[in-house]
Amino acid sequence: MITGRDLAIWIASALLAAGVGWSRYAKWKTRDRLVREFAAMDPEHREKMLSRLNPKLALEIREQLMERYRIMS
C-alpha cells in the first residue's frame, strides 16, 4: 500500500532526476554549439578566443575540435 508520504517522496525524486537530466542536456547542447562556432572560425581568431577562456573549458573545446573536426589549434 502506497501512503501519501511514499508518493511525495517518489514525486520529489522524479522531479529531482528530471532537473539533473535537463541541466546536463542543456550543458551538452551549449558545449556542442560552442564547438561548432569555434570550428567555423579562422585559426588565428579561434586561438585568440580560446586563450581568453577558462583553461579547463578551453582544453575540453580543443579536444572536441580534434575528435570531431580533426582541427588542431
Side-chain angles (χ1 to χ4, degrees), residues 49-60:
M49 294 296 289
L50 282 169
S51 69
R52 294 179 183 171
L53 292 176
N54 173 339
K56 184 180 175 185
L57 177 60
L59 179 64
E60 288 179 27

Side-chain angles (χ1 to χ4, degrees), residues 29-47:
K29 266 313 242 190
T30 303
R31 188 69 44 89
D32 184 58
R33 181 182 50 80
L34 193 59
V35 170
R36 281 187 277 123
E37 289 175 1
F38 273 105
M41 291 179 187
D42 63 276
E44 192 174 296
H45 189 239
R46 180 185 317 122
E47 195 56 42

Side-chain angles (χ1 to χ4, degrees), residues 3 10-11 15 24 31 33 43 45 49 72-73:
T3 64
W10 276 103
I11 290 172
L15 290 173
R24 285 187 180 196
R31 188 69 44 89
R33 181 182 50 80
H45 189 239
M49 294 296 289
M72 296 188 70
S73 350

Side-chain angles (χ1 to χ4, degrees), residues 2 14 27 37 40:
I2 296 179
K27 180 181 176 184
E37 289 175 1

